[in-house]
Amino acid sequence: MRQNPERRAALLDAAIEVLAREGSRGLTLRAVDAEAGVPTGTASNYFAHRAQLLVQILHRTRERLVPDPADLGGPLDTTVLLGQLLDRMRRERSVHIASLELRLEATRRPELQAELAGFQGAELEANVAWHLESGLPGDRQGVVLLYLAMLGLIVDDLTVPALLEPYSVEGLIRAMAERLLPEGGA
């Protein structure tokens, strides 16, 4: 198996684009090659099979969605952080759509379900721990509820934005933070 990290990242980024645009059924190693603009067979040199590709896409989506460290400096404000999260998801729309496709694919593939559950569980736990250690308002349950509420808002914002047009998204984020975190969010 090839080890060129830049080429692997480019192939995974191409796979994310294919997955977001075509869905799971359209994700083939050949489609990844075409999207990446590399010779046919290149992706198969990096990924032994489609299942391995799916797991590596999962990990690559998280690499691309990590917040900029500059956004986490200075005094922290929950509402501002949630707004930055939504902005990041909008900028990386295909990455989040690909993540949703992975969730759907996991309902049909037990091995991916196990990988996704472990990965998402660890990520959620790390986010909760960071939130609490940072001195932001709220308790563990409130942070988990906020995570679930933001996930729903992000899914609707990226997939059916007309649904949210009658509302101020910033106002919804502020209300979520204030209502779900005992000490307030702004």
Side-chain angles (χ1 to χ4, degrees):
M1 197 176 313
R2 301 283 173 123
Q3 298 301 318
N4 180 331
E6 293 83 18
R7 173 65 61 94
R8 179 179 298 281
L11 289 167
L12 289 170
D13 289 341
I16 286 168
E17 294 303 320
V18 171
L19 188 57
R21 185 179 60 247
E22 306 293 331
S24 181
R25 289 183 186 248
L27 181 67
T28 64
L29 294 173
R30 186 175 289 254
V32 172
D33 289 337
E35 181 72 23
V38 298
T40 300
T42 302
S44 63
N45 289 326
Y46 285 83
F47 312 104
H49 43 77
R50 190 170 181 279
Q52 183 186 63
L53 175 63
L54 290 169
V55 168
Q56 290 194 29
I57 290 170
L58 171 65
H59 292 276
R60 180 66 179 157
T61 61
R62 292 306 170 245
E63 289 171 9
R64 288 187 47 188
L65 293 176
V66 170
D68 184 333
D71 291 342
L72 304 177
L76 299 174
D77 178 278
T78 304
T79 303
V80 171
L81 291 170
L82 294 174
Q84 291 169 343
L85 170 64
L86 180 60
D87 290 343
R88 193 166 53 255
M89 294 302 174
R90 286 172 173 167
R91 281 191 313 272
E92 293 281 358
R93 183 180 186 277
S94 61
V95 176
H96 195 71
I97 298 297
S99 296
L100 295 173
E101 289 287 344
L102 287 172
R103 287 173 182 247
L104 293 172
E105 184 67 13
T107 66
R108 296 177 287 275
R109 294 178 172 265
E111 71 282 359
L112 184 58
Q113 176 72 37
E115 181 78 23
L116 184 64
F119 189 80
Q120 294 289 102
E123 183 178 78
L124 176 58
E125 191 55 40
N127 284 330
V128 170
W130 181 86
H131 184 99
L132 297 175
E133 291 165 8
S134 296
L136 290 163
D139 59 8
R140 174 172 292 285
Q141 185 177 36
V143 176
V144 171
L145 289 170
L146 189 60
Y147 165 85
L148 295 170
M150 276 301 294
L151 181 60
L153 184 139
I154 290 167
V155 167
D156 285 346
D157 185 81
L158 297 180
T159 60
V160 285
L163 180 66
L164 298 178
E165 284 176 1
Y167 307 97
S168 160
V169 173
E170 293 76 19
L172 292 172
I173 289 172
R174 188 173 36 260
M176 277 192 279
E178 290 171 356
R179 293 178 186 185
L180 295 174
L181 303 178
E183 299 171 27

